[in-house]
Amino acid sequence: MRFLGTIAVMTIGALLIAVGFNMLLIPHQLLSGGVSGISMMLGYATGWNISVLYFVLNFPILVWGWFVLGRQFVAWSVYSVVAATLFLQLVPVYSLAVDPMLGAVYGGIIFGFGSGLALRLGGSSGGFDIVASIVTRKRDLPLGMLLFILNGAVIASLGLLNNDWEAAMYSMASMFAAGKVIDVVHIRHVKVTAFIITNETEKLLAKLLATPRGVTIIKTRGAFAGAEKDMLMTVTTRYELAALRKMIRQLDPKAFVNIVETVGVIGEFRRG
C-alpha cells in the first residue's frame, strides 16, 4: 500500500509539473529553472517538442546518478521524469492566465509543489536536483548559491537569446516562487541533522555506515523511565532524507527521531 501510495503521489506531482509548464509558463514563453528551463529555451528557439527535449536532456543526468547515487532515489526520479514527459504530451498548451506575471508566479507555485512532492517521497524531478545530490556527496559546497548561479545562467541565456529581459525577469519570479513552495513541501536547508534514539543500534549502524555519512553514538537516559538507550547522530542531505526515514521505519518503527535543519557544517561532511 505504501508503494502504491508513493506511485500515486509521484504521478500527481508529475501532472502538476506538466500543468505548470503547459498552461502557465510555456504560453508566455517563460522558463522554469534547471534542465526543464533549458529544454523550454531550446524548444522556443528551434520549435522542437519541449517534452522530448525534457526527457533527452534529463537522460544522461539520470544515468550518471544511477551509478553515483542510491538506486532507489534515481529509480523514483526516472519515474517522475518519464511521467512528466508523458503528461507534457497529454496536457494541452493553453494559457490559464493572460497576465505573464500571474503565469510566472502560479506556474512556479504549481511546478514547485509537484517537484516538492517528488523530493519528499524520495525522488526528484530530475535535472539540477540530481546534480546537486551528487555534488553534496563529494563536496561541502553552498548548494543554494550554486543552484542559483546555474539557474541564473539559464535565465540570462533567455534574455540574451530573445533580447527580452522582461521575460527573463518574469522567469526569475517563477523560479523564486517554485523554490519557496519546494521549501514548504519538503525542507528548506540542503543539510539536515537526524538524532535517532533507538534500541536497534547495530541494525541501524550497519545501514548508516554503508552510506558516505558519518555517525556518532551518544549514550542517553530517559528522564521518565530512566532507561538507557543509544542516540545516533548523523548529518545528511535533503535528497537522502526520504531514504533515511524509510530505513528507520523498517528497522526500528519505535525509534524516536528528531530531524533539524542544519545551517552549516565545519569539518568533514563526507565520511572517508
Side-chain angles (χ1 to χ4, degrees):
M1 291 300 295
R2 185 176 296 162
F3 176 77
L4 292 176
T6 301
I7 287 181
V9 176
M10 283 279 189
T11 304
I12 292 170
L15 176 60
L16 290 173
I17 289 171
V19 169
F21 286 177
N22 283 1
M23 292 190 165
L24 290 160
L25 297 180
I26 291 175
H28 295 290
Q29 300 277 290
L30 303 179
L31 303 182
S32 68
V35 171
S36 57
I38 296 173
S39 65
M40 288 176 179
M41 185 169 57
L42 290 175
Y44 300 153
T46 63
W48 294 345
N49 187 293
I50 291 175
S51 64
V52 174
L53 288 168
Y54 175 76
F55 179 78
V56 169
L57 293 177
N58 268 297
F59 182 77
I61 297 174
L62 291 167
V63 172
W64 182 25
W66 182 263
F67 290 103
V68 177
L69 303 173
R71 300 274 174 100
Q72 182 172 310
F73 173 73
V74 177
W76 282 120
S77 299
V78 168
Y79 179 81
S80 177
V81 168
V82 170
T85 300
L86 293 175
F87 282 127
L88 283 168
Q89 293 278 22
L90 297 173
V91 175
V93 177
Y94 172 79
S95 180
L96 292 177
V98 176
D99 186 347
M101 178 56 78
L102 286 176
V105 173
Y106 283 95
I109 289 171
I110 293 174
F111 167 71
F113 196 81
S115 295
L117 288 177
L119 283 169
R120 190 171 183 86
L121 293 176
S124 73
S125 55
F128 287 175
D129 283 337
I130 300 287
V131 175
S133 184
I134 292 172
V135 171
T136 56
R137 289 187 172 227
K138 301 295 183 182
R139 295 283 188 276
D140 183 17
L141 296 176
L143 280 184
M145 182 58 66
L146 178 61
L147 290 173
F148 179 79
I149 291 170
L150 291 173
N151 287 324
V154 174
I155 300 302
S157 299
L158 173 66
L160 292 171
L161 181 67
N162 297 335
N163 197 27
D164 184 358
W165 292 102
E166 274 198 7
M169 288 187 283
Y170 285 139
S171 297
M172 285 293 288
S174 174
M175 286 172 44
F176 181 81
K180 287 298 182 182
V181 173
I182 289 173
D183 289 347
V184 171
V185 175
H186 187 218
I187 192 166
R188 180 182 177 187
H189 290 285
V190 173
K191 297 180 184 67
V192 296
T193 300
F195 298 93
I196 310 161
I197 299 176
T198 178
N199 287 321
E200 302 290 348
T201 302
E202 298 306 319
K203 289 182 181 179
L204 287 171
L205 278 178
K207 288 287 187 178
L208 290 170
L209 292 176
T211 71
R213 307 290 173 231
V215 185
T216 299
I217 303 176
I218 304 169
K219 295 294 182 181
T220 64
R221 184 166 63 89
F224 181 72
E228 292 190 353
K229 294 186 178 182
D230 290 329
M231 181 169 69
L232 309 181
M233 183 189 77
T234 184
V235 179
T236 187
T237 70
R238 70 179 183 181
Y239 304 104
E240 300 162 276
L241 183 56
L244 177 65
R245 284 177 174 143
K246 290 177 183 177
M247 183 264 289
I248 295 171
R249 288 196 199 102
Q250 290 171 357
L251 297 180
D252 187 3
K254 296 182 178 180
F256 177 83
V257 185
N258 183 22
I259 298 170
V260 298
E261 295 178 340
T262 301
V263 175
V265 175
I266 299 173
E268 288 296 329
F269 172 56
R270 183 176 186 270
R271 183 173 60 85

